[in-house]
Amino acid sequence: VTESTAYLESVALPLRAGGLAVTTVVRHGNPANEILAASEDEECSLIVMSTHGRTGLERLRMGSVAQHVLRHSIIPTLVVRPGNDAATEGEATIAAITVTLDGSSLAEEALPIGTRIAKALAIPLTLLRIIPGLASIAYGGWGDGYYDYYPVNEEMERDEEHAIEKYLEAIATPLRASGQEVGTRWERSVTSRAAEMIAAVLAKQPAGIAVMASHGR
């Protein structure tokens, strides 16, 4: 306890010198569960933590405190994956906020927190939608178990893109009316999975923050 308290105080000291009000807490138990409990006890509005970014078997073997907190917290959680050359001191520069949307009410639950952060930092907000790349559309036409497949053509793609542009603008318009700078962007993925395309888009904005809703599974 003494060593942990001393470590936390050594981290808090320069932050306090910079004008921040900082408290330190040491708790015992399962790390993820205690983080969740402490965030609720302290009535936090945001949890911020870093992650090793482990995937696959390595994550299963090592476990992931960040993943557990992300999936179980009722408080918005900011997960930072450090790069090899990530700075460990000084202030971070946050240039933009990206909110990922898929047309569902669940995804749109990320809008209030994303907008709040953008307004607090006086930075632009981008609404991002990924269009899954499907080679064909299945249509059940001959009863259970039988389907006819119609290849997606350019006209169908244009109609889909137009509908998505309209959807994004409908969300952006009232936000702009409140004074927030809002941009819209859509990208078409070559696969049916949106995650890889989202990651590719965000990789081009290393000084940004992505805000997205989660099922919490």
Side-chain angles (χ1 to χ4, degrees):
V1 172
T2 301
E3 290 179 356
S4 297
T5 301
Y7 162 71
L8 292 178
E9 286 298 320
S10 71
V11 176
L13 189 61
L15 299 177
R16 292 183 182 129
L20 294 176
V22 182
T23 58
T24 64
V25 179
V26 176
R27 298 175 71 116
H28 294 80
N30 177 280
N33 292 339
E34 291 304 318
I35 290 171
L36 293 171
S39 64
E40 294 181 26
D41 292 345
E42 299 293 326
E43 298 183 345
C44 298
S45 57
L46 182 69
I47 299 172
V48 182
M49 59 194 306
S50 61
T51 175
H52 292 284
R54 297 188 181 102
T55 59
L57 293 176
E58 185 181 13
R59 190 178 73 184
L60 291 175
R61 180 174 65 85
M62 300 295 293
S64 174
V65 174
Q67 284 289 333
H68 184 93
V69 172
L70 183 64
R71 296 182 186 282
H72 293 86
S73 175
I74 60 174
I75 298 169
T77 304
L78 172 60
V79 178
V80 181
R81 182 176 179 179
N84 294 331
D85 57 347
T88 57
E89 298 179 357
E91 295 182 353
T93 299
I94 302 172
I97 303 292
T98 299
V99 176
T100 60
L101 300 172
D102 62 8
S104 70
S105 57
L106 170 70
E108 291 170 9
E109 289 183 18
L111 283 167
I113 183 70
T115 303
R116 210 165 84 201
I117 295 174
K119 286 184 176 180
L121 299 179
I123 56 178
L125 179 70
T126 298
L127 308 180
L128 173 64
R129 175 79 180 266
I130 303 299
I131 307 174
L134 300 176
S136 58
I137 296 177
Y139 173 76
W142 303 304
D144 293 342
Y146 293 91
Y147 294 89
D148 195 7
Y149 286 85
Y150 294 92
V152 174
N153 56 45
E154 292 185 4
E155 183 178 357
M156 294 173 65
E157 288 184 345
R158 285 196 299 269
D159 289 343
E160 184 179 36
E161 292 164 2
H162 177 72
I164 287 174
E165 289 172 354
K166 187 176 180 180
Y167 163 75
L168 293 174
E169 284 298 322
I171 294 178
T173 298
L175 296 177
R176 292 178 183 137
S178 68
Q180 175 62 45
E181 181 181 348
V182 183
T184 62
R185 177 176 181 179
W186 60 264
E187 295 285 345
R188 186 175 290 279
S189 174
V190 295
T191 71
S192 60
R193 294 175 57 84
E196 289 83 357
M197 181 59 72
I198 292 174
V201 171
L202 297 177
K204 299 177 182 179
Q205 300 174 342
I209 289 180
V211 183
M212 60 195 308
S214 169
H215 290 280
R217 300 191 179 103

